Each structure stands twice: as C-alpha cells, then as structure tokens.
Amino acid sequence: NHYHCANIPLYDESKNEMHTIFFGGIAQYYDSLGSLIQDNNVPFVKTIARVTRTANGTMMEYKLPGEMPGLLGAGSEFIPIEGLPVYANEVIKYDSINTDTTMLGYIFGGINSSAQNIFWINDGTQSNASDVMYKVHVIKNLSTDINDQNNQKGDNLNMKVYPNPNSGIINVDFNLRYSSSVQIHLSDITGKLISQLDYPKNRFVVGKNHLEIKLDSSVQLAPAFLTLITNKEKITQSILSKP
C-alpha cells in the first residue's frame, strides 16, 4: 500500500509484536494469480495487508486472504468505536480483546475507482467519492492462519525497466545471485502471452546484467507486462509506450 488508506494498529504485548492492517488504496505491487506484479504506474488495488514487526525487530508484509469489495481505500479513514482498549497513542491493545469476534470500528470515505489505472484517461467520470461505510471486526483464535508473505522484500533481482514509457526499445537491468538461464515474457493486460525470449545461462554473469529489447508493434499498441523468469525467481513489471 503506497498511498494513505484506512489502517488499524494493534499491539500484541504478550509476543511483543506490532501489527498494522492496511485496507486497499493504491500500490506499486499487487498479486495476480499468485504472481507478484510490479506496476510503476501505482494502480488502485483491493489488497488488505498486514505489516508485522516481530520481537527481534524484523518486519514483513503479509497479504490477507480477504480483499476490499472494489478498488477502494485510497484516502479512506478508519473510525474506531468508543470504548476500545487503547494505549495513549491510540494503538489498540490486542491482548485486551477477549471475545472471539470483536467490532473495532468503521472504514469510510476515500476514492472508489472504476479501474486500476485511470490517471492517464481520467475525464472526471472514472472515479467518485465512496459513500459506503464498512464495519471492521477482528477474529481471534482462528483454526487456520492464512496469510501470504510478500516475498518482494526478499527479492534480489532488482529489475529495472526503462525508459517507461518507451518508444519501442526498452532496457532491462537485473541482478543474478547464481548462474541461470533467463526468459522474458511479454503479455497483454489480460495475461495472454504475446512473445517469449529465451537466453542461455552462459549469456549472463553472476551479478549485474543488462538486456536491450526491441518491442514489436503488437506490444507497442497498448499497455503490456514484462516478466523476467530465472531458475528460482520471477518478477513482472508493466510497460507503456509513448503516444
């Protein structure tokens, strides 16, 4: 989540863990069928995520299984109900929530977007102010704890695609920690594969690598995705062509 959105801070004193839940908004990264998509246009998302700082000081982001009911959350606020157990800084005392399901408050306001990327086509009709209020509950003691870890923190490819937008030729910089062959997939916004480039592992070195790719006309006509695949890792980034 890379823009202000409704968020809830909870501190678990017994484990010395700090949790912050973020609801929707806009983000540079989002999940698409199990793949982490990097979109530098920073689209609207439905993601509900938890950032946790553990007792040893490490932090990690987790994607919760639920999502916002639409492309909501950017600019929204969380309004806690009265009587919640909180610290002086308004962080909720997680240990003091004793019931299995407890209402925490409401999410209200913010932007309701009709599509992920509307900034380049916006004539004022693609989004509106949300007028729906959502109740938020915390459920403790679940039999399963389903949270997907965001591995982007551990990503070491450090892929950079530029210029973006481009004029038909793009540069791809990336880092390899091991010897590996590389595939480049170019797909349209529906996920359909447009073209595939295969490079043998002797083409690259362990460390910094560079590719220059000439895009064919089918990729230049509309927004597309470039996916770099190694033997162990995969990362995707959106690419745009200059009008």
Side-chain angles (χ1 to χ4, degrees):
N1 308 75
H2 289 82
Y3 190 81
H4 176 80
C5 64
N7 57 87
I8 302 177
L10 304 110
Y11 179 61
D12 187 341
E13 185 176 7
S14 63
K15 296 181 180 179
N16 188 19
E17 291 183 343
M18 180 68 202
H19 310 287
T20 307
I21 314 298
F22 296 91
F23 296 86
I26 65 177
Q28 184 183 19
Y29 299 90
Y30 63 91
D31 177 79
S32 177
L33 303 176
S35 295
L36 189 65
I37 303 298
Q38 177 183 345
D39 187 341
N40 289 342
N41 293 310
V42 195
F44 289 93
V45 296
K46 300 179 180 180
T47 309
I48 300 176
R50 169 173 60 89
V51 174
T52 294
R53 187 228 62 194
T54 60
N56 65 10
T58 60
M59 295 182 69
M60 184 56 69
E61 180 185 29
Y62 299 86
K63 180 181 180 294
L64 274 63
E67 292 185 328
M68 299 294 286
L71 296 168
L72 301 161
S76 65
E77 294 291 340
F78 172 71
I79 306 170
I81 62 172
E82 293 184 358
L84 280 179
V86 296
Y87 295 94
N89 59 1
E90 299 184 353
V91 172
I92 298 171
K93 298 180 178 180
Y94 184 74
D95 298 83
S96 298
I97 299 175
N98 298 316
T99 55
D100 184 68
T101 302
T102 303
M103 183 175 172
L104 299 181
Y106 304 89
I107 293 173
F108 185 70
I111 301 170
N112 180 17
S113 181
S114 60
Q116 286 184 291
N117 287 300
I118 64 171
F119 298 110
W120 318 116
I121 58 170
N122 202 321
D123 60 10
T125 63
Q126 284 78 19
S127 63
N128 61 278
S130 175
D131 60 356
V132 179
M133 185 172 286
Y134 298 93
K135 292 181 179 179
V136 181
H137 296 79
V138 62
I139 303 174
K140 299 185 73 171
N141 304 316
L142 286 172
S143 58
T144 58
D145 184 17
I146 306 172
N147 297 272
D148 294 329
Q149 179 175 312
N150 179 358
N151 291 315
Q152 183 63 26
K153 180 180 178 183
D155 168 55
N156 289 285
L157 288 173
N158 296 320
M159 183 176 73
K160 297 180 177 64
V161 180
Y162 61 94
N164 199 12
N166 66 82
S167 298
I169 296 177
I170 57 173
N171 296 280
V172 182
D173 293 343
F174 58 97
N175 183 73
L176 287 178
R177 296 172 296 146
Y178 44 83
S179 179
S180 174
S181 59
V182 168
Q183 284 187 345
I184 298 290
H185 289 185
L186 293 165
S187 56
D188 63 20
I189 58 174
T190 69
K192 180 182 177 181
L193 184 67
I194 300 172
S195 63
Q196 176 177 320
L197 302 173
D198 295 280
Y199 300 92
K201 65 180 181 180
N202 60 8
R203 166 69 172 74
F204 306 105
V205 299
V206 175
K208 295 181 179 180
N209 290 274
H210 173 82
L211 288 172
E212 182 178 280
I213 300 173
K214 183 176 181 179
L215 304 175
D216 61 39
S217 58
S218 62
V219 179
Q220 296 180 40
L221 293 176
F225 290 112
L226 181 148
T227 301
L228 187 150
I229 306 170
T230 71
N231 294 344
K232 300 178 181 179
E233 297 171 279
K234 177 172 73 171
I235 187 168
T236 301
Q237 182 173 323
S238 65
I239 54 175
L240 292 171
S241 298
K242 291 181 180 179

